[in-house]
Structures are given as structure tokens and as C-alpha cells.
Amino acid sequence: MWLIKMEVITAVKGFKDILPEETGKWRFVEDAAREIFSRFGFKEIRLPVLEKTDLFKRGIGESTDIVEKEMYTFLDRGDEYLTLRPEATSSVIRAYLEHALYNAEPVSRLFTIGPMFRRERPQRGRFRQFHQIDVELLGLDDPRADAEVILMLMHFLSTVGLKNVSLELNSLGCSSCRPAFRKVILEFLSGKEDGLCDDCKRRLGSNPLRVFDCKAKECQEIIADAPRLSDFICSDCHTHFETVASTLTELDIPFKINARMVRGLDYYTKTTFEVTTEHLGSQNAVVGGGRYDRLVEELGGPDIPGIGFAVGFERLITLLQAENTRFLPQPDLFIASLGESAQRLAFLLCNQLRIKGLHVEQDFSARSLKSQMKRANRLNCAYTLILGDRELEEKKAEFRDMKTGAQQTLFLDNLEEQILKLIKER
Ligand code: HAM
């Protein structure tokens, strides 16, 4: 029993530790992402978590929930507003422009994995620090690029074992068809303003489309009968969307069209998509993404189109039902030792074998051999080496296969080589 003398300082609300028994699953997902994305030509980019606040105001949009009320923003020693990134797309584009990556590669395929920060109300599947696997494809407006990115996403999700999800698709039009729809929505909402929540009332002038994304019940009820954006998109956007849909069908990827999906960030144009599940309660989106053909220019760069998505890492992990133990590393060997000289030999041997590439566990305490064997079992070790004072006197050790129980005697001369040979041969 440990005696706790002082009050323990806990983590910040909505910020979660990922404990050793969970990290195996996280690494498994990350490895799959890296392997699959690189097959599709994507390269990893690693970015800072802190950016200038203006990047997100310009990128995500001033009248979004994220920018209005969810960002961790502070004045840095009185001279500059900085923000812990709430998403990765704006940061990827910032780096893409800052290093003029478009000069070297007319088509850039980038991905990044890391923590994001949004000050939302924590609940199941919603955290204030969460992680995203973010993918961005820049330099192509071809609808086949949309289908390719979605194909890669769905292949990744099924490879890691995600089942029973649905892909929802919509088109948000472009800067030539959106203004007409804005007018139609404003007309539809005129006279209904009093029934909207305070946020939507305020945003009506700047960004009426946000009403579609509002979670407030009163707004949902009003918007239920609203006209659909898909009925107003221009012929270019329509053809683009049709080609995305027919290419997905050719690629054998099932999807549903959800004409009400607008997404919570302002930069989207044309194709948008979400992967949803019924197993996460109200936080049903595991992935969100879409095309953003104006964003690079809006952030000060050339006229370069883009499309991408972000997987919510915590939500994906929750949905992977497989037991954590499947993802835990299996130690090759446990060295159980009893008596001072045996322990000294065990310590040296254990660390020499680790340097030679084996995963070896050992017990520093002088507990009974029985309890050391129990620990070897709990750690799921493949083999155990038993070194007691008696074995030492006879210049030998017992080597046991933990799965079959088969045991053999090894001589202390060349012990290291014998063990390496036995374990590497298995
Ligand atoms: P988003 O829809 O805001 O899109 O987030 C993508 C995913 O991140 C969500 O579907 C969800 O799984 C996860 N997520 C978001 N907020 C939280 C939270 N508070 N707690 C846990 N998970 C969360 C974006 O961020 C865009 N940047 C995606 C994108 C990339 N679009 C184009 N490229």
C-alpha cells in the first residue's frame, strides 16, 4: 500500500491521458495510416500546435462555432494573439504556402497526425484535446481526386477493423452558386428570426448557412422545411458532384447523399462528406472532410484547389471493439531468478539480450519463483528462463515455452547465444 501525503493534481477537464494499455491500439492505427497513405503517395508533415489566431479566423471563418467560442486563444506576453490549433487543415495550408511546396510539387499529398484543441462541453466522444489523422490533397480539382481520397479513407477504416459506418456525401456548391442559395435561405428565414437561437439570430446577416449546422432544437425544427442547397448548385458543381458519385459507385464504395450536411467550417466548396456511426451517441461523426477550392487563395496563396478529411482518433479507437491485449507487445523472454548470484547473472543477461534485439523482462525483487512465473504469465511472455542458485551450481538453466509448457535445460556456457538462437528460430 502506498501512502498519499498530498492532494494529487489532476489533468485539465476535457484533456485525457492515453495510458500504456491503450497506446498499442493507437500505434496500430497510426502504423496502418502511415502505410496505406504512403501507398497512395501521401507524405507526412509535422506541424506546430500553436499558430497565429488570424490563421483560423481567416481559414475556418469568423462566424463559426469553432472561432466564435471554442478556441484556446491567448495574448502572448502582451504582443500577439496565439491559438492552440482547433484543426489541422489551416495549419497544413499555412506551411504549404510558407515553404512554397506548390513550386516543387504541383500536386501535393500531405498528411499529419496530432492533437487539436477545442473548448467544447466534454461528453462521450467529445474532448477539449483530441487527436486527428488529417489528410490534404492540393492542386487537383478533378472529381476523381475526391473519389480517390474517399476510397483511401474507406480502405483505411476497413483495414483497421471499423464496421457498420456510413459515408454521407453532399455538395456545398461554389462561389458562383452559393450567393443565390444564401438569398433563398434568407427569404425562407425571414419572419422566422424570433424562433432561432441567439447565435443564429446574430449570424443571420453574416452567414445564414450556419443555421443548418446549429444543434439547437428550435433551429433544427425551423430548418427542417428549408430549401435544399443541392437544388440550387450551378451546372459545373452539379457535374462535378455527379462524377464524384459515379466514380465512387465504380469503385464499389457505398454512400448516402445527405442534402442537409453543411459541415462546421466555412472553407468548404463542392464535395463534403462525413463518416458516421450509430454507436457514438450524439457525437456520431468519426470523419469529416471535403473540398476547399478557395482556401489557399483566402490564406494569401495562389489559386490552388484542395480536398481532405480528418479522422477523429479517439472516436475511431472507441469504435474498434477488439481487445486491447491484441495490440500489446509480447515480450520474448522473462528471466526468473532466485538467490544473489542468480539475480546478478539475470540482470546482466537480461540487458545484454535487450541490446541484441530481444524484448526481455525481469524481476528486481527477490520474490519466490512461483510469483515470478505468475508475472511472466501476466506479461504474456513467450519463454521463461529459470535461474536458481541450484541451477547456477550445476552450471545450467531451465528454458520454458510458456505456451506449450515444454522445458529444456541450457548450459550456462554460451547462454546468450543459445537463447538468441532458440527465440529467433521460433
Ligand atoms: P471536423 O468535422 O471539425 O473537420 O473534425 C473532424 C473529426 O474530428 C470529427 O468528425 C470528429 O471525429 C473529430 N472531432 C472534432 N471535434 C472533436 C472533439 N471535440 N472531440 C473528439 N473528436 C473531435 C475538421 O477538423 C476538418 N479540418 C477536416 C478536413 C480536413 N476537411 C478538409 N480537410
Side-chain angles (χ1 to χ4, degrees), residues 329-335 353-354 356-361 376 379-385 399-403 419-420 422-426:
Q330 183 186 40
D332 298 303
L333 180 71
F334 188 93
I335 307 181
L353 288 170
R354 283 170 175 165
K356 294 272 165 67
L358 293 191
H359 177 170
V360 189
E361 296 283 342
L379 289 171
N380 190 28
C381 297
Y383 298 93
T384 305
L385 186 79
F399 186 76
R400 181 186 292 183
D401 182 327
M402 297 297 278
K403 203 161 147 210
I419 294 172
L420 278 167
L422 283 166
I423 291 180
K424 291 204 165 142
E425 267 172 7
R426 84 178 148 127

Side-chain angles (χ1 to χ4, degrees), residues 307-324:
I307 179 163
F309 63 79
V311 180
F313 215 137
E314 283 77 1
R315 294 187 192 174
L316 176 59
I317 291 282
T318 308
L319 290 168
L320 296 181
Q321 294 301 331
E323 282 295 301
N324 276 332

Side-chain angles (χ1 to χ4, degrees), residues 106-122:
V107 175
S108 296
R109 292 167 179 255
L110 303 167
F111 75 92
T112 193
I113 303 177
M116 311 292 150
F117 307 84
R118 295 183 194 175
R119 203 178 188 291
E120 296 187 83
R121 200 166 49 78

Side-chain angles (χ1 to χ4, degrees), residues 87 89 118 120 125 127 132 136 263 267-268 285-286 288 308-309 312:
E87 60 120 32
T89 312
R118 295 183 194 175
E120 296 187 83
F127 307 97
Q132 284 186 342
E136 311 295 350
R263 309 271 304 119
Y267 48 61
Y268 291 111
V286 193
F309 63 79

Side-chain angles (χ1 to χ4, degrees), residues 14 60 66 70 86-90 116-137 263-265 267-268 273-276 280 283-292 295 306-316:
I60 301 170
I66 298 180
E70 294 170 1
E87 60 120 32
T89 312
S90 306
M116 311 292 150
F117 307 84
R118 295 183 194 175
R119 203 178 188 291
E120 296 187 83
R121 200 166 49 78
Q123 61 180 73
R124 182 161 180 246
R126 193 160 76 189
F127 307 97
R128 290 180 170 176
Q129 175 179 307
F130 58 98
H131 296 73
Q132 284 186 342
I133 302 174
D134 182 89
V135 168
E136 311 295 350
L137 168 49
R263 309 271 304 119
L265 306 97
Y267 48 61
Y268 291 111
F273 54 94
E274 282 185 352
V275 176
T276 56
L280 281 174
Q283 302 308 311
N284 65 349
V286 193
V287 184
R291 180 164 276 290
Y292 46 84
L295 181 60
I307 179 163
F309 63 79
V311 180
F313 215 137
E314 283 77 1
R315 294 187 192 174
L316 176 59

Side-chain angles (χ1 to χ4, degrees), residues 176-199:
S176 67
C177 47
R178 201 103 54 91
F181 183 66
R182 192 173 178 269
K183 221 168 125 223
V184 172
I185 281 296
L186 280 173
E187 272 161 24
F188 169 81
L189 291 172
S190 119
K192 302 185 180 71
E193 295 89 340
D194 287 349
L196 295 172
C197 76
D198 290 345
D199 279 343

